[in-house]
Amino acid sequence: MAEPLLFALAESFITKLASQAVKEASLALGVSKELEDIKNNVLFIKAVLLDAEQKQHQNNELHEWLKQIKPIFSDAENVIDDFECERLRKQVASGSIRKKVRLFFSSSSNPLVYPFRMAHHIKDIKEKFDKVAETRDKFGLQIIDSDNRVVQRRETYSHVNDSDVIGREHDKQKIVKLLLGDGGDKSLSVIAIVGIGGLGKTTLAKTVFNDKSVVESFPLKMWVCVSNDFELRNLLLKIINSAPKQNHHETNIKNFNMEQLQNHLRNALAGQKFLLVLDDVWNEDRVKWEELRGFIQAGAQGSKVLVTTRSDKVANVMGTYSSCNLQGLSGEDSLSVFVKWAFKEGEERKYPELMEIAKEIVPKCGGVPLALRTLGSSLFSEVDQIQKWIIVKDNEIWNLPQRAEDILPAIKLSYDQLPSYLKRCFACFSLFEEDFHFNSCHTIILWEALGFLPSPSQGEKLKDIGNQYLQELRSRSFLQDFVDYGGAYKFKLHDLMRALALYVSRDEFQLLSPHNKNMSENALHLSFDNNNDNLFGQTPLPLRLRTILFPTGVNNEAFLNTSVSRCKYFRALQINNSGYKSLPRSIGRLKHLRYLNLEDNEELKSLPNSVCELQNLINLNLSGCTKLKKLPYGIGNLISLQQLHITTRQSKFPNKEIEKLTCLEILTLVSCDNLESLFELGIELPSLTFLDINSCRSLRSVSLHVVPNLESLSIDGCNKLNLSMGHDNQIPKLKLKLLYLESLLQLKTFPEWLRGCAKTLQSLVIVDCDYLEELPEWLSTLIYLKTFSIENCPALFSLPDGVHHLRSLEYLKMEGCPELCRGYQPNVGKDWPKISHIKQVIIETPEN
């Protein structure tokens, strides 16, 4: 099913053929003619791939032809990428970026055998492309040289406005009434929203959760996404973390035993009237529910649990007091939803022909809001393309037999409308478990490692292209719960969208689980749903494999050694929270490896120095490796590295080595407890745009002179850090867009150097700064500030008088600051007029 991804792969391959590394290699190997022939054949094949993609389901022979092409492209890309690996290795060896052609292979591990072998590979690939190109014309395919399915972006918001929820007002009022009622005299009542996927259960629950009367009635509100994980310990952790006003300075609760978790939760709920939302529940085991219920029955009379689920049985198991069974939207409401997403506001009146077609499309969506929204979004801005609307209306997919577990036709059609370059990016999401919380930095670097992003234009960064792709997927409603943190995003996939990703990517992308143990011989990207030894080694790993995301907690050394030695074309390798104390030295032979994630390997004591031979590596994550004694020797040789995440016991930061990483954009330091200073004067990291320092408890100083282009700075739990640094006036003007400060005991007022960000800062977040007493008056000069959040800063009593000058401010949150919140209560607080212009204001109601 991965054949629709071929067009984007062909485009990417053609671009690689034009690279400097390939030009140098072609001269050195004497294969210029063969490479030119390969390019012409690929162009010849690519010209019909878009039409073949549409017609393959009606022609088995065509489908098989496409299946033949995929492994050829994969093998060819491996060879071409090998030239780039050699170029980077030479660059490190010589210390020079420019190399003479005659020296291209001169210091290879075997300079005689390597050129001969690579020339043989090139000629073999040429013959394979010749063979498939010969049969192209027999299928009568239309030539389409470029993919013109562009995405037009529209404005969307992460929060839910009542005006965005169509046709659910009656359901909302019913649920609110049940929540505010006596619950049948029960101390803890359960109310369920039941309905099929895509009906808007979660969206409805959100509108109820944020309803004014509900907010006023429940002093404590908690939201937990449950999904398939109804394991008691995990649920208790989620509930505790979702409860506000907890003591964030405590020992990390993830290390608590069950008795400690129980006591912590009971203390949080004791005597409080609470609302707990359990979203997307699948558990049908009554014993598990009763066990959880016993832990949360500590609140005041009138506490409620609101559940969303697809199953009536789940609602019955939980002893539901009352249920709201969601139905599909009415025809009128369905048309309203579709029109809202297919047209700019009010413009549907200009297109009566399209509205008539829309009235025929809408009933096919079955009243499912997600289907209506997604399909409407796919036709947004296509108002001058009436033929595209007709194709959607008459598509044969509507006539296929539909089972309950099948992908909704409207959603599959929306995927078909995506440009090719977005299809394989979307398919990548299939490697992650249900309800996974994605962040843009992780997503984009993985896309880049797998070669899914095109080369940037001059002045453009791959991060910008990745962000554009995410925004395009968002604008078509493929992503949800999308939150913008000043250029960095967090988001999720609706479970129906995840099911779509699994469906369209099967064979090439595989998520192995106890229910799906069969590995395709064509698999390129592999992940595991859980840590089960029965999933390892069932069948030999495909030699072409490019990705393995190991399950959390893996400790199968034999499988790891086999994987590293057998699969030499890895681009991405993820091993999190394992029991490994070391990694095999042979990992240094994975010269194609671009993404190495070793997060939270708490037993890992050392890394082989061979890791520093991975010149293609763009991401190295050692965060949470709390026993790691030091970084591997020669880390400065990782000249392609863009992201470095560190936890180490070493006391001195390797400044000179890090300075060699001229591509480094993101640096995070987590629990580097022996580190006292960061960066030394005299070095410079001009590419660094994101710096995150977390729980470095001995850290006293950070020199910001060396990061003149820093855009995001996050500092959390560094109790000894003095942000003023005693030389504010010497620090150049920074270009910060995001500043996040949490648990900084030394912070009493803001450092003067922050004034230099007046024309750039967009997001400012301050959390758990117990001794912060005032905000400076110059804060009102931050004229581009859009998001401002202050949480749990009890010594802070007021905002600057000039806060009303912050006209760009769209979001303001104040919580856990009793005196501050009291003065800015909506409509009644004495200082409310100063902030009443802000679009979204969230202020905690202080206790009397």
Side-chain angles (χ1 to χ4, degrees), residues 704-705 707-710 713 731-736 753-754 756-758 760:
L704 295 178
H705 296 78
V707 284
N709 297 311
L710 196 65
L713 175 61
I731 295 180
K733 287 187 177 181
L734 297 176
K735 302 174 182 178
L736 286 181
W753 54 261
L754 186 58
C757 309
T760 59

Side-chain angles (χ1 to χ4, degrees), residues 517-754:
K517 298 179 183 178
N518 298 322
M519 191 185 310
S520 168
E521 63 179 358
N522 298 318
L524 293 179
H525 312 285
L526 189 65
S527 65
F528 298 84
D529 191 39
N530 59 29
N531 184 20
N532 186 329
D533 278 345
N534 291 330
L535 297 178
F536 304 136
Q538 293 291 311
T539 55
L541 292 173
L543 291 174
R544 294 187 179 96
L545 200 64
R546 296 187 175 189
T547 305
I548 284 191
L549 308 182
F550 283 97
T552 298
V554 66
N555 196 24
N556 189 318
E557 287 196 27
F559 186 70
L560 175 62
N561 291 333
T562 300
S563 302
V564 171
S565 61
R566 177 177 170 82
C567 305
K568 61 182 181 179
Y569 297 115
F570 275 138
R571 267 61 166 190
L573 188 59
Q574 178 171 295
I575 310 169
N576 293 162
N577 198 21
S578 77
Y580 301 133
K581 294 181 180 179
S582 62
L583 297 179
R585 289 186 61 190
S586 57
I587 198 169
R589 298 176 189 165
L590 301 177
K591 58 183 177 180
H592 293 273
L593 194 65
R594 311 193 76 202
Y595 176 94
L596 181 57
N597 187 337
L598 302 173
E599 189 174 3
D600 292 332
N601 287 295
E602 296 180 353
E603 299 301 315
L604 192 66
K605 295 181 179 179
S606 64
L607 288 176
N609 290 333
S610 61
V611 165
C612 298
E613 297 171 15
L614 303 173
Q615 275 88 42
N616 249 321
L617 207 62
I618 59 175
N619 176 81
L620 176 59
N621 191 340
L622 304 172
S623 176
C625 299
T626 52
K627 292 184 180 178
L628 188 66
K629 295 176 182 177
K630 61 180 181 179
L631 298 177
Y633 177 76
I635 197 169
N637 290 334
L638 301 178
I639 56 175
S640 300
L641 204 63
Q642 298 173 23
Q643 295 189 14
L644 177 59
H645 311 273
I646 302 171
T647 296
T648 175
R649 291 187 170 189
Q650 63 195 90
S651 58
K652 290 188 177 180
F653 189 72
N655 290 286
K656 295 300 183 183
E657 286 292 297
I658 299 300
E659 187 180 26
K660 295 177 184 177
L661 306 178
T662 55
C663 296
L664 191 65
E665 297 178 1
I666 294 176
L667 175 63
T668 69
L669 297 97
V670 180
S671 300
C672 298
D673 287 342
N674 297 327
L675 197 65
E676 294 188 3
S677 65
L678 180 62
F679 305 140
E680 63 181 25
L681 297 179
I683 72 165
E684 187 166 321
L685 300 172
S687 297
L688 198 69
T689 59
F690 182 98
L691 176 61
D692 182 4
I693 310 168
N694 192 307
S695 301
C696 296
R697 305 186 194 286
S698 300
L699 190 66
R700 295 179 179 275
S701 66
V702 179
S703 177
L704 295 178
H705 296 78
V706 307
V707 284
N709 297 311
L710 196 65
E711 295 179 358
S712 297
L713 175 61
S714 175
I715 306 176
D716 179 3
C718 301
N719 294 336
K720 295 182 180 180
L721 181 62
N722 184 348
L723 276 181
S724 68
M725 292 176 264
H727 43 63
D728 282 356
N729 295 330
Q730 300 175 29
I731 295 180
K733 287 187 177 181
L734 297 176
K735 302 174 182 178
L736 286 181
K737 294 180 180 179
L738 167 67
L739 178 62
Y740 181 97
L741 304 174
E742 180 173 354
S743 300
L744 301 180
L745 298 182
Q746 299 290 327
L747 186 66
K748 295 184 178 179
T749 187
F750 270 38
E752 282 293 313
W753 54 261
L754 186 58

Side-chain angles (χ1 to χ4, degrees), residues 382-417:
E382 302 284 4
V383 291
D384 57 344
Q385 300 287 332
I386 190 170
Q387 192 58 36
K388 287 189 177 182
W389 286 61
I390 293 172
I391 289 172
V392 168
K393 174 178 72 75
D394 296 335
N395 197 287
E396 66 173 15
I397 197 170
W398 302 115
N399 301 320
L400 296 176
Q402 188 75 12
R403 298 170 298 177
E405 68 272 17
D406 283 348
I407 304 299
L408 287 171
I411 295 176
K412 176 59 171 65
L413 264 178
S414 301
Y415 170 82
D416 292 339
Q417 300 292 318

